[in-house]
Amino acid sequence: MDRNRTHRNRRRVLAWMHFFGLFIVMAIICIPGLWIVLNSFRPTVEIMAKPPVWVPSFTLDHYRAMFGGAGEGGVPVFHYFRNSLVVSVTSTVIAILIGMSGGYAFARYKFRFKGGIFVGLMLFRAVPGVALSLPLFIVFARVGIIDTHFGLILVYVAMNVPFTVWLTDGFFRQIPGELHEAAEIDGCTRWQAFWKVEFPVARSGVASAAIFAFLTSWNEFALASQLTRSTGSKTMPVGLLDFTAEFTINWGGMCALAVLMILPALILTFIVQKHLIAGLTFGGVKG
Amino acid sequence: MTEVSLRNVIKRYGTQQAVHGIDLEIENGEFVVLVGPSGCGKSTTLRMIAGLEAISDGEVSIGGRVVNDLPPRERNISMVFQNYALYPHMTVRENLGFSLTIAKRPEDEIVRAVDEAAGILGLDELMDRKPAALSGGQRQRVAMGRAIVRHPDVFLFDEPLSNLDAKLRSQMRVEIKKLHQKVDSTIIYVTHDQVEAMTLADRIVLMRDGRIEQVGTPLQLFEQPVNIFVAGFIGSPPMNQLAGTVEGDAISLGEVYVPIPSSVRGQLSNGQKVIFGFRADNLTPVGHGLREKGETTQLDLRVHLTEPLGTETLLFATLAGAEIQGKMLNPRPVAPGEDLTFNLMLDRCHVFDAATGNAIGRT
């Protein structure tokens, strides 16, 4: 009896410690985000207050100002949003199409220099994007695609393709080759076998690759800040800079725009999340 | 009319040759089993018939039509894979109907064909499940159902039972045999299990190292193996094989002499090195075998191990330094260490040339 009780107590203590540990980790991850959201609803005085004010007095001033006219601290939010959306969605779709084809080829076919090309793609990921900003700037300026959606999309596709290849290669590799063979015997062409069987089975992998590619493009700042400069092409992260003036930084406005930036990414991730849960599909072959 | 014929079919991988010129004629409605140890080229041969593997040389024709350059979908074949290869994102119903959907058949026809196949294989309860929710045997049945739905000219089976446990395997063996009787199509079946080959086949094609060793009915391969490899591969327990030398009208197996069986008498020369082979069924304690008539000789052996199998018992003994197996029906238990007199049925024995491994007197 006694031993049972001590055992039970110990388990309870362990459970609490587990819970507490998780709480600390989650707090470290979440508090900065939460602080951004809180700050966007606070008057500037409270943002700058030391010690920090935990219970905010609620105000929508920053949002009102942001959507307001140029003279009252407003920024062209809708333009930035549209630019971000166009650039991210287009570059993601293109990167997924190219990357998925590449990943499939690496997973299914044998060709010369396969290993070398694969390593090369991965090495390309090792180059810091910022290091490329100056060469890109010069080349783009010469070619005349600086400050355009097209230029930015091109850069993001190049950034995302290697990662997509690597990710989808892994997913296609998990699908046994017999599946497309069975489909071909059932009357499919090689192309149909891919779209009707292998693609649906690997769609969780493709979905996660798409999320990664989208978030990379959506959040990218370093290159976008170099390659875009006008309202017609600036993305939201670059737009944040509009709130910095020579001597002051409008923290409230910045936080308000950051919230608008986080929301779509958050929503999209929630939508696609269900596809990210892999495993649901694996079982057609003996597991 | 869907006979399948292979003429000098060769498969090369780079410089490596995996299949060395297979010639085989398979008749309409025949159940042919390709059997052999792993790496013998049986699966490769099947995949060349299916069109999943390019044919390096030679000719494959199905129903009189050369199919060398046709993709799998134009060969009107079905295939059941070792790992079933069910489409994991589709329900059983969709899996079964997939080939007809691809062929753009009318909806009511698909439903009818799928229901018919489901009825044959007892899948009616499972139609709305995904493959992940099925047991191994059920998946196997779905894979077979998918194959029969489209009424192909030829069924190809690639080791379909090797992922199942022993009990399920023998059940499915019966179902495959029943299926063949129902659909009456040509079936080509690959396995490494000689029991499957023996029980299922109309004709067995025994392969080794990319070549055909022997083609024949199961009984032909069992009773008249053309060489030592066939003799050792077919039959369980494997045939007893003893090295010997021809001395006069007897074969010397070390200290023991057995008379030369009449079937090969006159075809052996004095001093010739031979392998003397006989099956356990043909070595029985005197008075305890199924068949004791015919040409026999008697051997005194000490039994050192027994393996009761129910209706019969395997007896292990040592003859001329090699372990051999005999068999008896079950009149009484035999204790290890017991000395017994055995009848060896000479007319059922096999003599192989030791140098070539080929059977003597059976060409």
Side-chain angles (χ1 to χ4, degrees):
Chain A
M1 276 304 261
D2 216 29
R3 201 192 290 168
N4 274 346
R5 190 176 304 149
T6 50
H7 188 74
R8 207 160 48 221
N9 281 340
R10 231 180 66 187
R11 258 223 322 251
R12 201 170 293 160
V13 170
L14 275 177
W16 272 103
M17 277 165 65
H18 188 82
F19 180 80
F20 187 70
L22 272 180
F23 180 81
I24 296 288
V25 172
M26 287 311 287
I28 291 171
I29 295 172
C30 292
I31 282 183
L34 181 71
W35 206 248
I36 288 177
V37 177
L38 287 180
N39 275 353
S40 73
F41 293 114
R42 277 173 180 160
T44 311
V45 192
E46 258 180 44
I47 296 174
M48 307 303 283
K50 269 179 204 169
V53 182
W54 281 94
V55 186
S57 45
F58 186 82
T59 164
L60 284 172
D61 283 352
H62 299 304
Y63 290 91
R64 212 169 288 137
M66 184 168 67
F67 287 111
E72 303 136 47
V75 291
V77 181
F78 291 112
H79 280 105
Y80 294 165
F81 187 84
R82 205 196 59 204
N83 294 339
S84 266
L85 204 64
V86 168
V87 169
S88 302
V89 170
T90 320
S91 71
T92 300
V93 169
I94 297 175
I96 285 298
L97 283 178
I98 298 176
M100 189 174 68
S101 318
Y104 188 78
F106 276 111
R108 282 280 181 271
Y109 295 101
K110 287 199 187 100
F111 46 87
R112 271 149 70 86
F113 309 121
K114 181 172 162 177
I117 296 173
F118 199 76
V119 172
L121 282 176
M122 291 309 110
L123 278 182
F124 181 77
R125 290 285 300 171
V127 179
V130 196
L132 295 174
S133 64
L134 186 64
L136 277 177
F137 181 86
I138 297 170
V139 171
F140 277 24
R142 289 274 165 80
V143 181
I145 52 174
I146 198 98
D147 201 21
T148 60
H149 288 164
F150 175 77
L152 212 52
I153 289 170
L154 198 65
V155 172
Y156 289 166
V157 167
M159 268 171 57
N160 282 322
V161 161
F163 185 69
T164 314
V165 167
W166 177 76
L167 205 66
T168 52
D169 165 74
F171 274 89
F172 284 125
R173 224 171 261 275
Q174 279 181 46
I175 303 176
E178 282 91 350
L179 273 190
H180 81 75
E181 289 178 348
E184 280 182 79
I185 283 177
D186 271 347
C188 290
T189 60
R190 192 72 181 72
W191 188 245
Q192 279 176 315
F194 174 76
W195 282 113
K196 289 192 188 284
V197 175
E198 291 181 295
F199 176 72
V201 174
R203 69 167 183 269
S204 57
V206 175
S208 28
I211 277 280
F212 277 113
F214 179 83
L215 291 182
T216 308
S217 319
W218 184 262
N219 294 331
E220 206 281 336
F221 171 75
L223 287 170
S225 68
Q226 301 299 311
L227 301 176
T228 62
R229 46 201 45 222
S230 66
T231 315
S233 68
K234 267 158 84 169
T235 56
M236 289 179 90
V238 184
L240 284 178
L241 276 187
D242 285 3
F243 292 102
T244 59
E246 199 171 350
F247 301 110
T248 59
I249 296 176
N250 179 357
W251 290 112
M254 220 180 229
C255 287
L257 185 58
V259 168
L260 288 190
M261 226 176 94
I262 293 169
L263 272 180
L266 217 56
I267 292 169
L268 186 82
T269 313
F270 268 117
I271 294 173
V272 186
Q273 181 189 227
K274 130 177 148 225
H275 294 286
L276 298 183
I277 303 162
L280 153 127
T281 47
F282 290 90
V285 293
K286 170 98 178 171
Chain B
M1 290 305 287
T2 44
E3 58 288 331
V4 177
S5 74
L6 282 69
R7 282 181 215 101
N8 194 28
V9 171
I10 289 173
K11 179 68 193 179
R12 280 184 221 100
Y13 293 105
T15 53
Q16 200 89 9
Q17 193 157 325
V19 175
H20 311 271
I22 297 280
D23 284 297
L24 187 62
E25 297 290 331
I26 297 166
E27 285 164 32
N28 187 29
E30 202 178 9
F31 197 133
V32 168
V33 174
L34 304 181
V35 66
S38 5
C40 71
K42 55 192 191 298
S43 277
T44 309
T45 307
L46 190 79
R47 290 168 60 82
M48 285 194 284
I49 298 171
L52 298 173
E53 208 70 71
I55 300 162
S56 307
D57 215 335
E59 199 176 273
V60 172
S61 53
I62 299 174
R65 187 170 58 130
V66 178
V67 296
N68 277 35
D69 297 321
L70 292 183
R73 65 178 187 280
E74 286 169 33
R75 297 186 183 199
N76 199 21
I77 46 166
S78 280
M79 186 155 167
V80 177
F81 292 85
Q82 180 176 0
N83 61 10
Y84 321 136
L86 301 180
Y87 309 127
H89 58 300
M90 299 181 195
T91 61
V92 169
R93 175 174 289 282
E94 288 163 340
N95 261 286
L96 293 175
F98 184 69
S99 58
L100 301 179
T101 314
I102 289 291
K104 298 208 169 69
R105 293 290 178 70
E107 192 60 35
D108 55 327
E109 187 195 325
I110 298 178
V111 171
R112 206 173 336 115
V114 167
D115 284 342
E116 188 198 335
I120 291 176
L121 292 161
L123 294 168
D124 311 84
E125 311 274 296
L126 311 169
M127 293 308 259
D128 297 318
R129 294 212 201 155
K130 294 261 175 77
L134 300 177
S135 71
Q138 290 167 337
R139 287 180 200 179
Q140 180 61 61
R141 277 211 290 276
V142 176
M144 273 162 58
R146 194 172 64 182
I148 63 177
V149 157
R150 44 194 300 243
H151 297 290
D153 293 335
V154 184
F155 284 100
L156 307 174
F157 287 86
D158 190 5
E159 310 214 15
L161 304 185
S162 50
N163 278 344
L164 301 177
D165 62 57
K167 196 173 164 206
L168 210 47
R169 198 177 306 166
S170 56
Q171 264 176 30
M172 292 306 296
R173 220 159 56 204
V174 175
E175 294 208 20
I176 290 176
K177 195 138 198 183
K178 278 188 196 156
L179 176 75
H180 181 231
Q181 285 165 1
K182 265 182 212 158
V183 299
D184 214 26
S185 299
T186 311
I187 294 184
I188 307 175
Y189 186 108
V190 162
T191 179
H192 61 263
D193 181 355
Q194 56 96 14
V195 178
E196 265 171 48
M198 292 292 283
T199 49
L200 288 171
D202 291 332
R203 231 158 27 118
I204 294 179
V205 178
L206 181 51
M207 293 179 67
R208 177 173 60 159
D209 296 337
R211 289 191 176 82
I212 293 181
E213 293 285 325
Q214 188 172 1
V215 181
T217 64
L219 271 188
Q220 275 171 350
L221 264 70
F222 186 77
E223 290 176 348
Q224 301 155 29
V226 295
N227 57 34
I228 290 183
F229 177 75
V230 178
F233 195 87
I234 299 286
S236 171
M239 185 184 278
N240 298 303
Q241 296 177 4
L242 300 163
T245 314
V246 179
E247 283 180 23
D249 52 4
I251 296 173
S252 150
L253 309 167
E255 68 270 29
V256 186
Y257 288 83
V258 293
I260 293 177
S262 56
S263 58
V264 295
R265 211 167 286 158
Q267 298 177 54
L268 300 172
S269 50
N270 211 9
Q272 188 178 356
K273 299 278 182 205
V274 296
I275 306 248
F276 183 74
F278 56 91
R279 297 200 184 275
D281 313 61
N282 300 319
L283 181 71
T284 54
V286 172
H288 296 308
L290 270 177
R291 192 190 70 102
E292 309 235 292
K293 294 203 185 69
E295 194 185 344
T296 61
T297 187
Q298 296 200 331
L299 296 170
D300 290 318
L301 297 169
R302 171 166 295 172
V303 175
H304 60 77
L305 192 73
T306 63
E307 226 177 52
L309 299 173
T311 52
E312 52 191 24
T313 301
L314 283 180
L315 304 169
F316 291 73
T318 309
L319 175 62
E323 178 159 280
I324 58 164
Q325 297 174 38
K327 208 183 249 183
M328 62 180 239
L329 298 175
N330 279 338
R332 67 175 180 89
V334 172
E338 205 171 318
D339 290 312
L340 290 175
T341 305
F342 286 84
N343 266 329
L344 174 62
M345 273 146 256
L346 280 181
D347 52 349
R348 292 288 178 95
C349 290
H350 306 265
V351 181
F352 305 95
D353 187 281
T356 62
N358 290 333
I360 294 170
R362 296 202 197 278
T363 38

